[in-house]
Amino acid sequence: MPDRRTRRRRRPPSLRENWIWWLPFLTIVLDLVAEVAVRGQEPVSFLLIGVPPLAAATRGPRGTALATAVCLGLQMLLAALRPGHFGEQHHVALYVATVVIGAASIALAAQRERTREHLIRANSVAEAMQKTLLRPVPRDLGPVRAAGFYSAGEGGTLVGGDLYDLCATPFGVRAIIGDVRGKGMDAVQTVAAVLGSFRVSAHEWPDLGSLADRLELSIARNCPGEDGDPELFVTALVLEFPPSGREVRIVDRGHPPPIVVGPQGVRRLATEPALPLGLGGLCSGRPARTTVHALRPGEVLLVHTDGVSEARDAAGVFYPVLDRLAERFATGRVPDPEAVVAFVRSDTERWSAGATDTDNDDQAVLALTLAKRL
């Protein structure tokens, strides 16, 4: 972590590009121009009393103190240039007022700097913790090439209620994508519980359905307390690409089904949905079934959360994922995961650009394909 001296020197370039940063200089120039215009017949140096508060808005204590000293010096100089005015009562009152306002401005600047440093440290810790939850999508993982993106619905946050992860295990490459019902800290806590369980259990449970049950157990053990959401659940897809063979195994826990994009067109994969994670106890006698689908060479498997399919345009129409993908990748050329993800991200942004509903949902997208040689 940088020391205090380094932090004081470092300023965001945007401050110098902001017009507020120039206000103290402009105020001093305006005062001097006014002084020349009235030719010393009227005292206008009172304008300088506003410089210290303006400096405190964009500068630290030293810069604010320097601005106060400059203003006080100019007030005295301008008064001295007018014979008999330097010691007049209203000039002395102006000097005192400038010193008092300058001292208060210095204290405000120091408090602003402390608050800013605290926010920088807090944001750095929060960003590190959030990136630990949602790791970057690896481009290559065993026989799988992958791409993805995540966008939190709440501005200023990196993690919301959507989740994803993938890892190489003795049973093949496994992936998960899910959507927690609700938002806020309860959702983030549930995301952490599910991802933590997945990263451990994916290496231990050979059966994909048993892995999904283990994830459900993590929700039961780590769900928020009495003040949390009593109807908390997670829709999820758990995927597996076995070490041999060109296929994908899927356990669907109430999530939007996967989409395949390839030279032969775009299609949805049929799954056998079970209850979402967290609600499995309502139907404990019916375990989730695993569906197996063959993947042709060049096909990309796309999974997403409902933040994509439920993005609305200005007319309130939902984003037609399948139709838009079919329109974009109908040329017969072999797509790659990066191109598919980039298209979905940019196209949903364009689709919802004119929407009046500001309550955006989280979006998570994974695109996965098998390498040519296994």
Side-chain angles (χ1 to χ4, degrees), residues 19 23 28 41 55 63 69 75 95 111 118 149 173 195 223-224 236 239 241 246 269 340 361:
W19 63 274
L23 277 181
I28 293 174
Q41 296 179 3
Q75 289 170 347
Y95 307 151
Q111 178 62 34
H118 173 74
F149 82 88
V173 175
L195 289 179
C223 64
L239 313 172
F241 298 87
R246 185 171 288 275
L269 293 184
V340 174
D361 198 3

Side-chain angles (χ1 to χ4, degrees), residues 143 240-249 293-295 370-371 373-374:
E240 179 182 277
F241 298 87
S244 60
R246 185 171 288 275
E247 64 183 26
V248 59
R249 300 168 183 169
H293 294 274
L295 292 178
L370 289 170
R373 292 183 179 180
L374 296 176

Side-chain angles (χ1 to χ4, degrees), residues 222-238:
N222 297 278
C223 64
E226 296 180 356
D227 297 332
D229 189 347
E231 299 180 357
L232 185 69
F233 62 84
V234 183
T235 66
L237 289 176
V238 185

